Amino acid sequence: MSVVKGLKCVNCGKEHSAGLIYNCQKCGDILSVEYDYEQLLRINTKAIFRRKQGLWKYKEFLPITDYSKVVSLDEGGTSLHKCNKLARRMGIEELYLKDETRNPTGSFKDRPASVAVSKALEFNAKTLVIASTGNAAASAAAYAAKAGTKCVVIIPERVPTSKISQILTYGALVVKVKGAFSNAYELARNASQKYGWCNVTTVMMSNPYQVEGDKTVSYEICEQMRWKVPDWIAIPIGAGPLLVGVWKGFVEFRKLGLIEKLPSMIGVQVESCEPIVKAFRDGKSIVEPWPLEPKTVAGGVADPLRGYTQDGSLTLKVIRESNGLAASVSDQEVLEAVMDLGRNEGVLAEPTGAVAVAGVKKLIEEGKIPRDEVVVCLVTGHGLKDMGPVANLFKDPPTIEPDVEALKTCLARALRGRTLSEGHFNKGGPWRH
Ligand SMILES: [Zn+2]
């Protein structure tokens, strides 16, 4: 049974009923879903934790009232890898990856999409609209396909072709819009208002329900770490709804007495688009829109926040409240993190998905994360979604005759003098530029 009380404005505190509204009707700021925690305290949580893994095992903590409308592709329940090799390489004792590449469409966005599309069906929405840099649109399109609902996708010009193909395969109507993500955001908002389409954009200013799906990441981490909360959770952020959602999940579990402490949240951006990091560094509480057009290999976090700086300011507030950190990384550091994940842990991340790992590496080197503390990095999207920037790192492998001597000669050259038995492919690796 759902225990949703309503929606509350994060700025002025005005309460609203849990209907199809997107922003505070008094001040226009972000709305957050409120639950009846007294009622949640009476729920038998042991029975919940015995259920099959996945997002909907936590259905009592999600804002759905009609479970017959739930649209699921078995999202959530993703692996938490303990990464000894990567930890050693980064000079830290304990490092974990929450592997969100395991979700049905290959990114964490399936969590907010499952909740947002289910909620849209509760509101009898016939058409969904979403602005996205790729992954959220793929998720919305997949869930809309499963639900039999129309989905209009608005993406910025520079989304990788492989992501567009994925969205089109799920049958969505896709339109590219000139400029950065902010233009897509604005157009989706206007179209939603004009045509009555349900806006499922994963910006907190666009839809108050979708971010609730992100909370389940922290519920799972608590269970997977046997209720020992890590010291740090690192997350790639554009506007940062995932970071806000994950924080809310931990806060709720502490409210229910399931955990004793809260982690510190780390938000990582890219140097070419770092509005939240800049505000954090400058000691500001309001995030300003980013004036430049971002150019980065990690397009999923290239978010100038024009038109929805409230999202950035809320993310910044959470980072501060949690005694957390904000850092930005270069494209080179992002690509190194992609390689580190692949070569040390067998995890294939898209560049955006590796941003948190790159940030943590930097923060450890700078002495901002103590080496004996426990860190969980979220790997948010699968490498196969965007192989372009990584493919550019490699030369084409050599073609040889089907002959063992030719194979030996070729590999010996690649291993630069090491013999085959002692050689390994991890450092530099074969066929790298
Ligand atoms: Zn308000």
Side-chain angles (χ1 to χ4, degrees):
M1 186 187 56
S2 174
V3 295
V4 173
K5 266 170 58 179
L7 303 170
K8 191 173 175 185
C9 174
V10 300
N11 176 43
C12 74
K14 182 176 168 56
E15 292 177 358
H16 304 66
S17 62
L20 183 51
I21 45 172
Y22 300 108
N23 309 109
C24 174
Q25 287 167 351
K26 188 173 164 201
C27 76
D29 214 309
I30 295 167
L31 295 170
S32 176
V33 181
E34 292 281 299
Y35 299 84
D36 182 345
Y37 290 103
E38 292 301 315
Q39 222 175 316
L40 276 179
L41 275 168
R42 289 196 288 275
I43 286 174
N44 179 1
T45 44
K46 282 208 174 90
I48 291 178
F49 299 133
R50 278 198 297 269
R51 289 175 192 157
K52 176 177 152 259
Q53 285 305 317
L55 179 136
W56 291 101
K57 81 182 275 188
Y58 308 107
K59 61 183 181 182
E60 288 84 352
F61 298 84
L62 296 171
I64 302 296
T65 45
D66 181 356
Y67 294 135
S68 72
K69 297 286 187 345
V70 165
V71 189
S72 176
L73 292 166
D74 272 350
E75 53 293 319
T78 57
S79 308
L80 185 76
H81 309 297
K82 187 162 193 282
C83 297
N84 295 337
K85 284 170 77 186
L86 195 54
R88 262 200 309 278
R89 193 167 158 77
M90 285 162 66
I92 191 169
E93 280 174 28
E94 237 177 297
L95 175 75
Y96 297 83
L97 300 179
K98 181 68 171 155
D99 187 0
E100 289 296 295
T101 69
R102 305 281 185 110
N103 278 298
T105 76
S107 91
F108 81 96
K109 293 285 189 186
D110 292 337
R111 296 179 191 264
S114 183
V115 174
V117 175
S118 302
K119 198 67 194 167
L121 294 189
E122 264 191 21
F123 295 133
N124 289 317
K126 299 284 179 272
T127 304
L128 311 177
V129 63
I130 184 165
S132 162
T133 54
N135 289 347
S139 299
Y143 285 81
K146 179 82 177 169
T149 310
K150 286 194 202 72
C151 184
V152 178
V153 164
I154 302 170
I155 50 174
E157 282 171 290
R158 279 198 290 268
V159 170
T161 316
S162 51
K163 291 197 180 187
I164 299 175
S165 305
Q166 186 185 11
I167 302 164
L168 289 168
T169 305
Y170 295 131
L173 298 157
V174 182
V175 179
K176 284 188 190 177
V177 66
K178 289 178 183 166
F181 172 75
S182 300
N183 290 356
Y185 164 84
E186 192 63 30
L187 183 56
R189 209 170 116 108
N190 293 341
S192 163
Q193 274 166 8
K194 181 149 190 192
Y195 303 119
W197 299 341
C198 184
N199 192 347
V200 293
T201 301
T202 55
V203 163
M204 291 176 283
M205 282 287 283
S206 285
N207 184 308
Y209 298 106
Q210 45 84 21
V211 71
E212 296 297 297
D214 295 327
K215 293 189 314 194
T216 54
V217 169
S218 32
Y219 298 164
E220 288 172 16
I221 291 173
C222 290
E223 278 200 75
Q224 286 167 318
M225 299 195 74
R226 298 178 190 280
W227 310 102
K228 269 180 70 182
V229 175
D231 300 300
W232 303 92
I233 307 276
I235 300 180
I237 55 168
L242 176 59
L243 188 144
V244 173
V246 168
W247 173 249
K248 187 174 180 184
F250 281 113
V251 169
E252 286 180 340
F253 266 22
R254 193 177 65 164
K255 219 177 255 184
L256 298 177
L258 294 165
I259 53 172
E260 283 173 7
K261 69 161 201 172
L262 295 169
S264 295
M265 306 298 293
I266 302 170
V268 187
Q269 301 199 290
V270 284
E271 285 170 356
S272 64
C273 187
E274 47 159 23
I276 298 174
V277 176
K278 184 175 186 304
F280 180 84
R281 225 173 17 225
D282 296 349
K284 302 256 174 68
S285 59
I286 302 290
V287 174
E288 298 291 333
W290 192 250
L292 308 170
E293 288 310 308
K295 271 194 190 144
T296 170
V297 292
V301 289
D303 203 336
L305 295 170
R306 286 173 219 142
Y308 49 96
T309 49
Q310 293 92 333
D311 269 56
S313 298
L314 181 57
T315 303
L316 177 66
K317 187 170 166 244
V318 165
I319 291 172
R320 289 231 174 86
E321 210 174 298
S322 73
N323 291 315
L325 294 166
S328 58
V329 289
S330 67
D331 276 9
Q332 161 111 17
E333 288 165 328
V334 171
L335 292 174
E336 283 298 327
V338 170
M339 299 298 283
D340 279 346
L341 283 167
R343 293 179 175 215
N344 294 290
E345 302 297 339
V347 171
L348 187 67
E350 63 170 337
T352 299
V355 163
V357 173
V360 164
K361 189 176 175 193
K362 195 170 188 175
L363 289 166
I364 293 168
E365 281 163 9
E366 290 172 354
K368 291 180 180 159
I369 299 177
R371 292 176 187 272
D372 59 349
E373 295 195 339
V374 180
V375 181
V376 174
C377 287
L378 265 66
V379 178
T380 48
H382 201 288
L384 292 177
K385 279 174 165 280
D386 185 13
M387 286 304 280
V390 178
N392 290 336
L393 298 174
F394 298 103
K395 290 187 282 189
D396 209 26
T399 306
I400 57 166
E401 294 298 328
D403 173 81
V404 285
E405 281 305 313
L407 178 67
K408 191 179 162 194
T409 311
C410 179
L411 294 181
R413 200 177 301 138
L415 295 170
R416 291 189 196 94
R418 282 172 291 173
T419 65
L420 266 183
S421 55
E422 68 183 18
H424 59 86
F425 292 83
N426 269 347
K427 285 186 186 158
W431 334 135
R432 237 187 133 177
H433 281 296

PDB file of all heavy atoms in Angstrom, residues 293-316:
ATOM      1  N   GLU A 293      28.883  26.638 -24.491  1.00  0.00           N
ATOM      2  CA  GLU A 293      28.374  25.389 -25.057  1.00  0.00           C
ATOM      3  C   GLU A 293      29.342  24.273 -24.673  1.00  0.00           C
ATOM      4  O   GLU A 293      30.512  24.321 -25.034  1.00  0.00           O
ATOM      5  CB  GLU A 293      28.265  25.486 -26.588  1.00  0.00           C
ATOM      6  CG  GLU A 293      27.135  26.372 -27.074  1.00  0.00           C
ATOM      7  CD  GLU A 293      25.791  26.057 -26.420  1.00  0.00           C
ATOM      8  OE1 GLU A 293      25.382  24.890 -26.426  1.00  0.00           O
ATOM      9  OE2 GLU A 293      25.145  26.986 -25.886  1.00  0.00           O
ATOM     10  N   PRO A 294      28.878  23.281 -23.909  1.00  0.00           N
ATOM     11  CA  PRO A 294      29.800  22.242 -23.457  1.00  0.00           C
ATOM     12  C   PRO A 294      30.290  21.360 -24.599  1.00  0.00           C
ATOM     13  O   PRO A 294      29.514  21.011 -25.480  1.00  0.00           O
ATOM     14  CB  PRO A 294      28.943  21.414 -22.485  1.00  0.00           C
ATOM     15  CG  PRO A 294      27.554  21.862 -22.634  1.00  0.00           C
ATOM     16  CD  PRO A 294      27.507  23.083 -23.464  1.00  0.00           C
ATOM     17  N   LYS A 295      31.586  21.048 -24.550  1.00  0.00           N
ATOM     18  CA  LYS A 295      32.160  20.097 -25.516  1.00  0.00           C
ATOM     19  C   LYS A 295      32.895  19.049 -24.706  1.00  0.00           C
ATOM     20  O   LYS A 295      33.906  19.340 -24.082  1.00  0.00           O
ATOM     21  CB  LYS A 295      33.129  20.808 -26.457  1.00  0.00           C
ATOM     22  CG  LYS A 295      32.457  21.358 -27.680  1.00  0.00           C
ATOM     23  CD  LYS A 295      33.451  21.741 -28.752  1.00  0.00           C
ATOM     24  CE  LYS A 295      32.710  22.521 -29.834  1.00  0.00           C
ATOM     25  NZ  LYS A 295      33.469  23.581 -30.415  1.00  0.00           N
ATOM     26  N   THR A 296      32.372  17.835 -24.683  1.00  0.00           N
ATOM     27  CA  THR A 296      32.973  16.806 -23.849  1.00  0.00           C
ATOM     28  C   THR A 296      32.637  15.417 -24.381  1.00  0.00           C
ATOM     29  O   THR A 296      31.629  15.250 -25.091  1.00  0.00           O
ATOM     30  CB  THR A 296      32.473  16.925 -22.380  1.00  0.00           C
ATOM     31  OG1 THR A 296      32.894  15.784 -21.641  1.00  0.00           O
ATOM     32  CG2 THR A 296      30.958  17.013 -22.300  1.00  0.00           C
ATOM     33  N   VAL A 297      33.469  14.434 -24.014  1.00  0.00           N
ATOM     34  CA  VAL A 297      33.160  13.045 -24.386  1.00  0.00           C
ATOM     35  C   VAL A 297      32.039  12.497 -23.504  1.00  0.00           C
ATOM     36  O   VAL A 297      31.418  11.491 -23.828  1.00  0.00           O
ATOM     37  CB  VAL A 297      34.394  12.122 -24.250  1.00  0.00           C
ATOM     38  CG1 VAL A 297      35.440  12.477 -25.291  1.00  0.00           C
ATOM     39  CG2 VAL A 297      34.979  12.148 -22.840  1.00  0.00           C
ATOM     40  N   ALA A 298      31.779  13.177 -22.375  1.00  0.00           N
ATOM     41  CA  ALA A 298      30.758  12.700 -21.432  1.00  0.00           C
ATOM     42  C   ALA A 298      29.484  13.532 -21.599  1.00  0.00           C
ATOM     43  O   ALA A 298      29.101  14.310 -20.719  1.00  0.00           O
ATOM     44  CB  ALA A 298      31.296  12.788 -20.003  1.00  0.00           C
ATOM     45  N   GLY A 299      28.824  13.365 -22.740  1.00  0.00           N
ATOM     46  CA  GLY A 299      27.670  14.201 -23.097  1.00  0.00           C
ATOM     47  C   GLY A 299      26.514  14.112 -22.099  1.00  0.00           C
ATOM     48  O   GLY A 299      25.729  15.048 -21.977  1.00  0.00           O
ATOM     49  N   GLY A 300      26.409  12.994 -21.389  1.00  0.00           N
ATOM     50  CA  GLY A 300      25.299  12.805 -20.448  1.00  0.00           C
ATOM     51  C   GLY A 300      25.325  13.756 -19.268  1.00  0.00           C
ATOM     52  O   GLY A 300      24.304  13.974 -18.621  1.00  0.00           O
ATOM     53  N   VAL A 301      26.501  14.327 -18.963  1.00  0.00           N
ATOM     54  CA  VAL A 301      26.570  15.293 -17.858  1.00  0.00           C
ATOM     55  C   VAL A 301      26.820  16.722 -18.363  1.00  0.00           C
ATOM     56  O   VAL A 301      27.057  17.622 -17.562  1.00  0.00           O
ATOM     57  CB  VAL A 301      27.638  14.908 -16.794  1.00  0.00           C
ATOM     58  CG1 VAL A 301      27.201  13.699 -16.003  1.00  0.00           C
ATOM     59  CG2 VAL A 301      29.004  14.684 -17.428  1.00  0.00           C
ATOM     60  N   ALA A 302      26.743  16.903 -19.680  1.00  0.00           N
ATOM     61  CA  ALA A 302      26.976  18.234 -20.238  1.00  0.00           C
ATOM     62  C   ALA A 302      25.681  19.037 -20.152  1.00  0.00           C
ATOM     63  O   ALA A 302      24.923  19.129 -21.106  1.00  0.00           O
ATOM     64  CB  ALA A 302      27.432  18.116 -21.695  1.00  0.00           C
ATOM     65  N   ASP A 303      25.447  19.596 -19.007  1.00  0.00           N
ATOM     66  CA  ASP A 303      24.149  20.172 -18.696  1.00  0.00           C
ATOM     67  C   ASP A 303      24.313  21.621 -18.228  1.00  0.00           C
ATOM     68  O   ASP A 303      24.682  21.877 -17.084  1.00  0.00           O
ATOM     69  CB  ASP A 303      23.549  19.319 -17.569  1.00  0.00           C
ATOM     70  CG  ASP A 303      22.054  19.431 -17.529  1.00  0.00           C
ATOM     71  OD1 ASP A 303      21.541  20.445 -18.002  1.00  0.00           O
ATOM     72  OD2 ASP A 303      21.418  18.503 -17.009  1.00  0.00           O
ATOM     73  N   PRO A 304      24.019  22.599 -19.105  1.00  0.00           N
ATOM     74  CA  PRO A 304      24.269  23.997 -18.728  1.00  0.00           C
ATOM     75  C   PRO A 304      23.248  24.572 -17.743  1.00  0.00           C
ATOM     76  O   PRO A 304      23.405  25.689 -17.277  1.00  0.00           O
ATOM     77  CB  PRO A 304      24.183  24.742 -20.063  1.00  0.00           C
ATOM     78  CG  PRO A 304      24.018  23.720 -21.128  1.00  0.00           C
ATOM     79  CD  PRO A 304      23.529  22.473 -20.480  1.00  0.00           C
ATOM     80  N   LEU A 305      22.182  23.812 -17.444  1.00  0.00           N
ATOM     81  CA  LEU A 305      21.177  24.210 -16.440  1.00  0.00           C
ATOM     82  C   LEU A 305      20.427  25.489 -16.802  1.00  0.00           C
ATOM     83  O   LEU A 305      19.895  26.156 -15.914  1.00  0.00           O
ATOM     84  CB  LEU A 305      21.827  24.387 -15.052  1.00  0.00           C
ATOM     85  CG  LEU A 305      22.407  23.134 -14.406  1.00  0.00           C
ATOM     86  CD1 LEU A 305      23.227  23.506 -13.178  1.00  0.00           C
ATOM     87  CD2 LEU A 305      21.314  22.168 -14.020  1.00  0.00           C
ATOM     88  N   ARG A 306      20.373  25.830 -18.085  1.00  0.00           N
ATOM     89  CA  ARG A 306      19.637  27.048 -18.456  1.00  0.00           C
ATOM     90  C   ARG A 306      18.138  26.761 -18.398  1.00  0.00           C
ATOM     91  O   ARG A 306      17.642  25.902 -19.118  1.00  0.00           O
ATOM     92  CB  ARG A 306      20.036  27.492 -19.862  1.00  0.00           C
ATOM     93  CG  ARG A 306      21.415  28.118 -19.878  1.00  0.00           C
ATOM     94  CD  ARG A 306      21.877  28.399 -21.305  1.00  0.00           C
ATOM     95  NE  ARG A 306      23.292  28.092 -21.415  1.00  0.00           N
ATOM     96  CZ  ARG A 306      23.861  27.525 -22.467  1.00  0.00           C
ATOM     97  NH1 ARG A 306      23.141  27.174 -23.516  1.00  0.00           N
ATOM     98  NH2 ARG A 306      25.157  27.289 -22.475  1.00  0.00           N
ATOM     99  N   GLY A 307      17.458  27.457 -17.509  1.00  0.00           N
ATOM    100  CA  GLY A 307      16.014  27.263 -17.383  1.00  0.00           C
ATOM    101  C   GLY A 307      15.613  26.417 -16.187  1.00  0.00           C
ATOM    102  O   GLY A 307      14.446  26.334 -15.841  1.00  0.00           O
ATOM    103  N   TYR A 308      16.574  25.761 -15.568  1.00  0.00           N
ATOM    104  CA  TYR A 308      16.226  24.910 -14.412  1.00  0.00           C
ATOM    105  C   TYR A 308      17.382  24.872 -13.401  1.00  0.00           C
ATOM    106  O   TYR A 308      17.756  23.816 -12.910  1.00  0.00           O
ATOM    107  CB  TYR A 308      15.840  23.490 -14.867  1.00  0.00           C
ATOM    108  CG  TYR A 308      16.835  22.888 -15.839  1.00  0.00           C
ATOM    109  CD1 TYR A 308      17.849  22.053 -15.403  1.00  0.00           C
ATOM    110  CD2 TYR A 308      16.768  23.201 -17.192  1.00  0.00           C
ATOM    111  CE1 TYR A 308      18.784  21.546 -16.284  1.00  0.00           C
ATOM    112  CE2 TYR A 308      17.691  22.693 -18.078  1.00  0.00           C
ATOM    113  CZ  TYR A 308      18.687  21.867 -17.615  1.00  0.00           C
ATOM    114  OH  TYR A 308      19.609  21.378 -18.490  1.00  0.00           O
ATOM    115  N   THR A 309      17.939  26.052 -13.131  1.00  0.00           N
ATOM    116  CA  THR A 309      19.059  26.113 -12.180  1.00  0.00           C
ATOM    117  C   THR A 309      18.629  25.642 -10.790  1.00  0.00           C
ATOM    118  O   THR A 309      19.471  25.290  -9.977  1.00  0.00           O
ATOM    119  CB  THR A 309      19.606  27.552 -12.062  1.00  0.00           C
ATOM    120  OG1 THR A 309      18.505  28.433 -11.854  1.00  0.00           O
ATOM    121  CG2 THR A 309      20.371  27.976 -13.289  1.00  0.00           C
ATOM    122  N   GLN A 310      17.305  25.629 -10.536  1.00  0.00           N
ATOM    123  CA  GLN A 310      16.810  25.137  -9.243  1.00  0.00           C
ATOM    124  C   GLN A 310      17.300  23.711  -8.989  1.00  0.00           C
ATOM    125  O   GLN A 310      17.598  23.346  -7.851  1.00  0.00           O
ATOM    126  CB  GLN A 310      15.272  25.148  -9.217  1.00  0.00           C
ATOM    127  CG  GLN A 310      14.657  26.541  -9.245  1.00  0.00           C
ATOM    128  CD  GLN A 310      14.350  26.999 -10.665  1.00  0.00           C
ATOM    129  OE1 GLN A 310      14.981  26.571 -11.633  1.00  0.00           O
ATOM    130  NE2 GLN A 310      13.397  27.901 -10.790  1.00  0.00           N
ATOM    131  N   ASP A 311      17.353  22.890 -10.055  1.00  0.00           N
ATOM    132  CA  ASP A 311      17.849  21.522  -9.902  1.00  0.00           C
ATOM    133  C   ASP A 311      19.294  21.523  -9.383  1.00  0.00           C
ATOM    134  O   ASP A 311      19.646  20.792  -8.464  1.00  0.00           O
ATOM    135  CB  ASP A 311      17.818  20.778 -11.251  1.00  0.00           C
ATOM    136  CG  ASP A 311      16.508  20.042 -11.475  1.00  0.00           C
ATOM    137  OD1 ASP A 311      15.456  20.700 -11.408  1.00  0.00           O
ATOM    138  OD2 ASP A 311      16.538  18.823 -11.697  1.00  0.00           O
ATOM    139  N   GLY A 312      20.118  22.368 -10.013  1.00  0.00           N
ATOM    140  CA  GLY A 312      21.521  22.451  -9.618  1.00  0.00           C
ATOM    141  C   GLY A 312      21.675  22.944  -8.185  1.00  0.00           C
ATOM    142  O   GLY A 312      22.493  22.428  -7.417  1.00  0.00           O
ATOM    143  N   SER A 313      20.861  23.941  -7.811  1.00  0.00           N
ATOM    144  CA  SER A 313      20.968  24.502  -6.459  1.00  0.00           C
ATOM    145  C   SER A 313      20.550  23.470  -5.404  1.00  0.00           C
ATOM    146  O   SER A 313      21.142  23.404  -4.323  1.00  0.00           O
ATOM    147  CB  SER A 313      20.101  25.760  -6.330  1.00  0.00           C
ATOM    148  OG  SER A 313      20.565  26.740  -7.243  1.00  0.00           O
ATOM    149  N   LEU A 314      19.539  22.652  -5.727  1.00  0.00           N
ATOM    150  CA  LEU A 314      19.124  21.606  -4.771  1.00  0.00           C
ATOM    151  C   LEU A 314      20.219  20.536  -4.637  1.00  0.00           C
ATOM    152  O   LEU A 314      20.533  20.084  -3.533  1.00  0.00           O
ATOM    153  CB  LEU A 314      17.800  20.977  -5.225  1.00  0.00           C
ATOM    154  CG  LEU A 314      17.232  19.884  -4.309  1.00  0.00           C
ATOM    155  CD1 LEU A 314      17.012  20.388  -2.889  1.00  0.00           C
ATOM    156  CD2 LEU A 314      15.913  19.332  -4.864  1.00  0.00           C
ATOM    157  N   THR A 315      20.823  20.183  -5.764  1.00  0.00           N
ATOM    158  CA  THR A 315      21.920  19.205  -5.739  1.00  0.00           C
ATOM    159  C   THR A 315      23.072  19.739  -4.880  1.00  0.00           C
ATOM    160  O   THR A 315      23.629  19.018  -4.036  1.00  0.00           O
ATOM    161  CB  THR A 315      22.415  18.917  -7.176  1.00  0.00           C
ATOM    162  OG1 THR A 315      21.299  18.468  -7.947  1.00  0.00           O
ATOM    163  CG2 THR A 315      23.508  17.867  -7.195  1.00  0.00           C
ATOM    164  N   LEU A 316      23.399  21.017  -5.082  1.00  0.00           N
ATOM    165  CA  LEU A 316      24.471  21.657  -4.306  1.00  0.00           C
ATOM    166  C   LEU A 316      24.147  21.646  -2.809  1.00  0.00           C
ATOM    167  O   LEU A 316      25.011  21.354  -1.975  1.00  0.00           O
ATOM    168  CB  LEU A 316      24.644  23.093  -4.812  1.00  0.00           C
ATOM    169  CG  LEU A 316      25.662  23.964  -4.093  1.00  0.00           C
ATOM    170  CD1 LEU A 316      27.074  23.436  -4.310  1.00  0.00           C
ATOM    171  CD2 LEU A 316      25.580  25.413  -4.598  1.00  0.00           C
TER     172      LEU A 316
END
